[in-house]
Amino acid sequence: MATLLRSRLVPLLTLLAGIAASASAQSAAPPTTRAHVERLASPSMEGRLAGSPGEQQAAQYLVEQLTRMGARPLPGQTSMLSPFTFTAGSKDGGSSITVTRGTTPSTFRSSTEVQALSFSDSAEVSGPVVFAGYGIVVPSSATFGYDSYQGLDVKDRIVVVLRYFPEDADATTRAALARYSDLRYKAQAARQRGAKALVVITGPRSPNAGAVVPMSFDTALAGSGLVAASASGAVAEAIFTALDDKTLEGVQKEFDAGNPHTTGFAIPNLTLTVSARVVREQQTGRNVVAYLPATPAAAASRPWVVIGAHYDHLGRGSAGNSLAAADQAGQIHHGADDNASGTAAVLAIADALARVPRKRHLVVAFWSGEELGLIGSTAFVNAPPVPIAEMAAYLNFDMVGRSTDNKLTVQATGTSPAWPRLLEQANVAAGFDLVLQEDPYQPTDVSSFNGVGVASLAFFTGAHTDYHKPSDTAEKINYDDLDRIAGFAGTIARRLLDADEPPLFTKVEQKTDTGGRAGLRIFTGTIPDYATEVKGLLLGGVIGGGPAEQAGLQKGDIIVELAGQSIANIYDYTYALDLLKIGQPATVVYTRGSARRTTTLTPSARK
Amino acid sequence: MTPRIWPALALLCIGAVTLGAQAPPAPADNRERDYLSRVRRLTVEGRRAGEGYWSPDGTRLVFQSERDPANPFYQIYTLDFATGDTKRVSPGTGKTTCAFFRPGTDQILFASTHHDPRSLQLQKEELDFRASGKERRYAWDYDPEMDIYAVAESSGTLTRLTTARGYDAEAGYSPDGQWIVFSSMRDAYNRTLTAAEQKQLETDPSYFGEIYIMKADGTDQRRLTTAAGYDGGPFFTTKGDRIVWRRFDEQGLIADIWTMKPDGSDKRQVTAFKAMSWAPYEHPSGEYLLFASNKLGFENFEVFVVDTAGTKEPVRITYSDGFDGLPVPSPDGRQVAFTSSRSGGGAGQIFLAQWNHEAVRTALAAAPPR
Ligand SMILES: [Zn+2]
């Protein structure tokens, strides 16, 4: 086996190198990775938002490229285009709340007074009202328990709760509560207790006081099975005037102490009618999937190898995942690194492997909808055109165009005991300063394949300050190293195609999710560098004008302590974010070079 | 990690660093870029790897690695730089360490215990211990069964070169391939020990380590050092006219780099850091030696260079927390293989870097006198 591989390694590298050359002996040289990136990141592709005309144009380009190299639609398919539908957004279709006290109804229907929550059922319900504090239920443990519903009967009632979590509680309590303060958790808790509807109000003592929750883009739209809406301070006022002895502010203050024994109460003599209308826009995205058949037909029964990259990006950033500064909002997000680079790497590898003998079929896949939540790759593995058991391995490329200092991160190495040797062999010639991460639970399509038990690797060159901004452009790509990455990963793909046995899959246990929910409402303006492993949180950059920049933090700083919590890794950091309060200065200890420094960062509210 | 490497005490402290600390180390300081470029991890597979030595033509490396799931101890592998292929050249059973290519032949020497009938039993015991989830500090045990072998790569023929009771290892060939210099603890077994010496043998046999030389066929074995304390890690210089090695004091706390002629005469001390300085290897230019020292912190070994005569203060090369050591320059002097814990996860792996000879020369020229 080893000698066989040895004899074949060099020709493949030569072939990959030959892609950059102007001509090859066999046929015209395929386009360079630079040509692919420049095309995909060009203004005419409009940022390749899933479901958009720009995405369709990019898909067409990929189909042409695959056809040129001799790839075919998967068996049983007539096209390389593999469409999937997804919810591209939600908007409020005219929700209202009517507060009836005695016989006087008052109805609120303006969008600044009432907004359905994006996961609400569309329906109208009426009923008596129970106020349940912050509406948080923390599963009780030996050390901590918190249940806003303790002693309350909310069956067939309409539950009114405060947004966020107690503002004045001590740090540990806040951290514990924050994790269960997401509106989805609150809706789930209300539904499980038999409530008819959930109405969320932003208390006068909270950030964004009195404001409705804007309808957020939410692609994971399994209906919550509950009518859920947010209401303004005026609506809250109308509800709370039913109480002679209490004001909303006074009530919130009691709850803000975080005392688990503060309980909610029924609001007498009041009926609430909640009419929620959520309009969900369905769209169609397109994966582009083809395969290069095994060259000896007899070998076709062996498990297949899959290489893939997402080719979609953010369009003009309308989906809420843009990090563009205000003066760049709405511009085309070119996504040269994210992920024209990975798309180009996959094309280059496929081009090279199309010209050599293959003992296994090679699936070449380009995913859409990755930026909206791995939608395309999830659709693929949920309804696989090739049985999952027939997939030997998956190699993923997402953001591979910004290698610096010869660094290359390879993630998901824990998914097979075969990876270390393959990486070692291939890297002897490639010569990358490899950063290896076992964890396959990454925010890219490798998660989808790991999730169904396919041994996987993900290639990545790190986050940068142009991440998810219009400034992620083609001229910033490191094409020399992009080609080297294609050569390196292509060698691994080649060995997988040639190997007698597919790599064994091993399951990596997922680290407990300590990612705090408060992170969703707090804005610090830090851009963590996920690629470089350091003790602490290495900043890949800071967002211009954001709290981190104002605190004097800069790219390369390593945060080692935040709000009194020591920070060893990204998990510690997200956990510590739970302890921050909007507008309240927090102490940050960080290292810059060999100096240890201290500064003060004042988080703002995430809009 | 290994013997050519570090003595018992150093082993213990490295063990504490590497097995105890699971957090990844800080990234390497930029200052090492003055001398090293394109630093990158060469070995990936297995729990740990180290002691990489170049073939005379620079196309391969021979090293030791714990990468066989059935054997928890080091075995010897060659790595081909053209293909990336690795191949085991040692027997597969028992413990091995410290390999070296024999110039002008297809032979590779290494030390091995595979003749010990308890080998498989010891492997199983170690595997069971690791499976139990318990951890202990890594320590090299100076197994008295360790003897030096040479294997012919083409035929696989294995020739035993030493048989003396006591640890024989840490061997290297002369540039003409006719001689082998090595370290042996046989002195602990070939005479009657005093009560104090007997106690010493039980706690730290490395105290008895001395430098020996023999012909490449194992004949004509001669002792070159006699000072009390661990003498080990010897190599010939590129010209073959001297031997570099490291000498520990009697307490095994302080080590320094020494050189001598191959007949044992003209012994000269090259470093005086009052720290553990060891793993010397001459740069092929003959101008300076590379070595490792924990001068900057008991658990923080770094690579240094010093002029061959030791007239100047050594110059620091690496800047990363944890372990950097066992620097071995390539035959053309333009690369260096070294062992480092900088990739995190605990144990060391072999790293490769481009070596900036001119910058090193300049820095040495500017170094103050010792
Ligand atoms: Zn992205």
Side-chain angles (χ1 to χ4, degrees):
Chain A
M1 204 57 224
T3 48
L4 179 73
L5 290 172
R6 177 186 295 206
S7 64
R8 288 187 176 174
L9 177 70
V10 178
L12 179 70
L13 288 171
T14 313
L15 266 174
L16 285 164
I19 290 169
S22 58
S24 108
Q26 297 172 330
S27 58
T32 60
T33 52
R34 179 190 286 271
H36 293 313
V37 171
E38 286 177 349
R39 180 71 183 271
L40 292 165
S42 67
S44 68
M45 301 265 181
E46 294 179 313
R48 311 184 303 281
L49 181 66
S52 73
E55 180 229 42
Q56 292 176 44
Q57 227 192 95
Q60 206 44 53
Y61 175 74
L62 296 171
V63 170
E64 284 162 21
Q65 293 297 314
L66 289 165
T67 307
R68 174 186 54 71
M69 64 181 80
R72 306 176 193 166
L74 291 183
Q77 311 288 316
T78 53
S79 167
M80 294 181 189
L81 293 176
S82 170
F84 57 90
T85 55
F86 64 101
T87 303
S90 332
K91 54 183 187 199
D92 191 292
S95 301
S96 66
I97 290 182
T98 302
V99 185
T100 310
R101 196 178 167 199
T103 54
T104 12
S106 44
T107 297
F108 301 84
R109 50 176 87 249
S110 120
S111 63
T112 56
E113 307 280 29
V114 180
Q115 283 277 289
L117 296 178
S118 58
F119 47 79
S120 173
D121 281 2
S122 285
E124 179 176 306
V125 289
S126 289
V129 179
V130 173
F131 175 69
Y134 277 93
I136 296 173
V137 178
V138 179
S140 51
S141 67
T143 52
F144 190 83
Y146 188 96
D147 183 354
S148 294
Y149 292 91
Q150 192 143 40
L152 294 181
D153 178 11
V154 299
K155 185 149 176 44
D156 296 327
R157 304 290 203 277
I158 293 181
V159 176
V160 175
V161 302
L162 292 162
R163 189 178 173 189
Y164 304 131
F165 51 85
E167 295 291 330
D168 304 331
D170 63 80
T172 324
T173 307
R174 287 162 58 80
L177 297 181
R179 219 158 298 134
Y180 295 91
S181 68
D182 185 83
L183 291 175
R184 276 185 170 272
Y185 283 116
K186 293 189 180 185
Q188 191 186 31
R191 193 197 64 221
Q192 284 170 348
R193 284 159 184 77
K196 271 184 168 171
L198 178 75
V199 173
V200 178
I201 54 184
T202 311
R205 306 183 76 244
S206 298
N208 302 313
V212 293
V213 181
M215 177 76 92
S216 69
F217 180 83
D218 189 343
T219 50
L221 275 171
S224 60
L226 185 77
V227 169
S230 74
S232 69
V235 181
E237 186 76 35
I239 295 170
F240 274 78
T241 46
L243 300 166
D244 303 329
D245 54 340
K246 292 185 168 90
T247 64
L248 176 55
E249 179 151 13
V251 168
Q252 188 184 8
K253 190 160 188 187
E254 283 175 44
F255 278 96
D256 276 351
N259 178 354
H261 303 297
T262 312
T263 52
F265 43 83
I267 299 181
N269 309 321
L270 194 80
T271 302
L272 220 52
T273 303
V274 184
S275 170
R277 292 274 169 274
V278 180
V279 180
R280 299 198 173 105
E281 191 195 345
Q282 296 291 315
Q283 281 200 5
T284 302
R286 289 148 202 86
N287 291 331
V288 180
V289 188
Y291 82 117
L292 291 164
T295 44
S301 61
R302 300 149 145 254
W304 306 27
V305 174
V306 185
I307 60 175
H310 78 85
Y311 73 97
D312 70 304
H313 192 53
L314 310 185
R316 289 179 181 268
S318 55
N321 45 4
S322 166
L323 295 173
D327 61 342
Q328 293 179 343
Q331 293 180 11
I332 293 175
H333 291 54
H334 298 92
D337 184 37
D338 185 11
N339 185 26
S341 67
T343 307
V346 170
L347 285 170
I349 294 166
D351 255 317
L353 295 175
R355 297 162 181 230
V356 297
R358 299 176 298 274
K359 288 193 189 171
R360 300 172 187 275
H361 296 321
L362 177 73
V363 178
V364 185
F366 300 100
W367 316 115
S368 186
E370 191 272 352
E371 301 285 13
L372 307 178
L374 319 184
I375 301 174
S377 58
T378 304
F380 180 85
V381 299
N382 285 347
V386 176
I388 295 294
E390 289 301 306
M391 294 185 205
Y394 174 66
L395 304 184
N396 188 71
F397 302 80
D398 192 356
M399 298 176 65
V400 289
R402 292 290 196 101
S403 177
T404 53
D405 288 339
N406 193 34
K407 271 212 175 79
L408 173 62
T409 299
V410 184
Q411 300 167 322
T413 61
T415 59
S416 174
W419 294 137
R421 170 163 297 189
L422 282 165
L423 289 163
E424 178 181 286
Q425 281 178 322
N427 195 47
V428 167
F432 280 104
D433 183 9
L434 291 183
V435 177
L436 303 177
Q437 298 175 345
E438 292 190 352
D439 192 352
Y441 301 95
Q442 304 292 344
T444 179
D445 299 302
V446 78
S447 288
S448 306
F449 282 83
N450 173 65
V452 294
V454 177
S456 307
L457 288 178
F459 298 84
F460 177 46
T461 53
H464 45 79
T465 47
D466 298 310
Y467 173 71
H468 280 201
K469 288 184 189 167
S471 51
D472 178 6
T473 47
E475 82 281 359
K476 292 178 184 153
I477 298 299
N478 176 348
Y479 291 101
D480 289 346
D481 283 348
L482 176 56
D483 289 340
R484 288 177 61 220
I485 291 165
F488 172 59
T491 303
I492 293 171
R494 179 99 191 262
R495 290 184 191 268
L496 290 169
L497 290 171
D498 278 354
D500 288 329
E501 293 297 326
L504 273 177
F505 173 76
T506 42
K507 187 172 165 52
V508 178
E509 288 307 322
Q510 188 163 14
K511 285 185 188 138
T512 10
D513 176 23
T514 52
R517 294 285 153 184
L520 297 173
R521 54 170 215 141
I522 287 262
F523 178 66
T524 58
T526 52
I527 303 174
D529 177 342
Y530 295 100
T532 313
E533 294 212 23
V534 301
K535 191 159 187 202
L537 181 92
L538 174 63
L539 295 182
V542 293
I543 290 170
E549 190 184 72
Q550 284 165 18
L553 292 167
Q554 64 187 45
K555 176 178 161 69
D557 290 347
I558 299 172
I559 296 179
V560 295
E561 201 181 301
L562 174 62
Q565 305 291 304
S566 73
I567 310 292
N569 52 46
I570 183 76
Y571 300 104
D572 289 349
Y573 182 70
T574 47
Y575 184 85
L577 286 180
D578 286 350
L579 308 178
L580 300 188
K581 291 186 73 172
I582 291 161
Q584 267 194 21
T587 302
V588 179
V589 181
Y590 64 102
T591 58
R592 178 176 297 169
S594 53
R596 189 179 164 95
R597 306 181 180 203
T598 301
T599 183
T600 308
L601 182 150
T602 308
S604 57
R606 191 175 280 277
K607 292 293 181 298
Chain B
M1 188 160 271
T2 137
R4 190 175 271 162
I5 319 197
W6 43 61
L9 188 60
L11 283 167
L12 286 174
C13 61
I14 293 299
V17 178
T18 54
L19 294 180
Q22 288 303 313
D29 191 301
N30 284 346
R31 278 171 288 179
E32 71 183 27
R33 291 189 195 168
D34 293 348
Y35 311 110
L36 303 177
S37 57
R38 285 189 105 72
V39 178
R40 48 115 165 179
R41 179 174 167 178
L42 187 64
T43 55
V44 175
E45 196 184 3
R47 191 177 158 106
R48 57 168 71 87
E51 303 240 8
Y53 298 94
W54 301 77
S55 63
D57 64 2
T59 61
R60 291 195 294 161
L61 204 68
V62 65
F63 65 101
Q64 60 200 30
S65 172
E66 291 179 10
R67 56 174 60 192
D68 176 356
N71 186 345
F73 303 117
Y74 282 129
Q75 289 294 311
I76 305 297
Y77 299 83
T78 58
L79 182 152
D80 186 320
F81 285 109
T83 62
D85 288 332
T86 53
K87 204 174 98 191
R88 178 167 53 77
V89 295
S90 55
T93 51
K95 308 168 192 171
T96 66
T97 189
C98 295
F100 208 90
F101 285 101
R102 182 178 178 188
T105 73
D106 75 337
Q107 285 188 309
I108 293 172
L109 71 65
F110 53 87
S112 177
T113 64
H114 68 278
H115 51 263
D116 181 350
R118 298 171 305 151
S119 285
L120 288 174
Q121 179 58 32
L122 292 172
Q123 287 173 215
K124 186 177 176 309
E125 284 171 16
E126 178 64 19
L127 286 173
D128 290 348
F129 178 83
R130 290 185 188 178
S132 73
K134 286 180 238 162
E135 287 203 343
R136 63 164 110 76
R137 289 173 168 192
Y138 183 84
W140 186 251
D141 62 2
Y142 302 103
D143 193 325
E145 291 294 333
M146 199 65 92
D147 276 312
I148 298 170
Y149 287 81
V151 65
E153 282 194 271
S154 50
S155 63
T157 308
L158 198 59
T159 310
R160 186 169 181 170
L161 302 177
T162 65
T163 53
R165 175 83 183 146
Y167 172 91
D168 292 328
E170 309 179 22
Y173 284 104
S174 59
D176 63 5
Q178 299 307 307
W179 295 90
I180 294 170
V181 64
F182 64 103
S183 180
S184 173
M185 294 168 193
R186 61 185 65 179
D187 193 41
Y189 301 92
N190 61 13
R191 63 186 170 87
T192 313
L193 301 183
T194 65
E197 284 177 327
Q198 191 58 45
K199 191 136 190 284
Q200 182 69 45
L201 179 61
E202 281 151 28
T203 54
D204 179 14
S206 75
Y207 173 86
F208 297 94
E210 300 296 345
I211 307 296
Y212 290 72
I213 193 168
M214 64 183 170
K215 288 199 174 128
D217 63 1
T219 61
D220 205 3
Q221 303 188 3
R222 275 178 270 160
R223 180 170 171 176
L224 301 183
T225 59
T226 52
Y230 186 10
D231 289 286
F235 292 105
F236 281 93
T237 57
T238 312
K239 276 200 233 151
D241 57 344
R242 293 189 76 79
I243 288 164
V244 298
W245 88 101
R246 60 108 215 287
R247 162 168 288 174
F248 267 85
D249 67 357
E250 275 193 64
Q251 285 73 42
L253 292 173
I254 289 176
D256 275 300
I257 309 303
W258 289 65
T259 70
M260 64 181 162
K261 288 188 174 162
D263 64 2
S265 66
D266 192 27
K267 293 187 174 72
R268 293 186 198 172
Q269 183 172 345
V270 179
T271 64
F273 268 169
K274 295 194 168 59
M276 274 182 236
S277 301
W278 51 271
Y281 205 101
E282 193 196 50
H283 187 266
S285 65
E287 294 176 33
Y288 52 88
L289 309 176
L290 294 77
F291 66 99
S293 178
N294 67 348
K295 176 184 189 232
L296 299 152
F298 197 64
E299 296 169 340
N300 179 21
F301 284 87
E302 301 291 358
V303 173
F304 290 80
V305 290
V306 63
D307 62 291
T308 312
T311 59
K312 299 205 163 193
E313 271 303 311
V315 172
R316 181 177 177 184
I317 300 295
T318 57
Y319 286 83
S320 82
D321 288 349
F323 181 78
D324 288 300
L326 294 148
V328 184
S330 60
D332 67 4
R334 291 189 188 152
Q335 294 186 79
V336 62
F338 63 105
T339 304
S340 176
S341 64
R342 62 180 63 200
S343 55
Q349 295 285 349
I350 298 176
F351 282 69
L352 199 64
Q354 303 293 313
W355 180 257
N356 189 339
H357 173 58
E358 286 310 316
V360 170
R361 289 184 73 189
T362 308
L364 276 170
R370 172 151 73 93

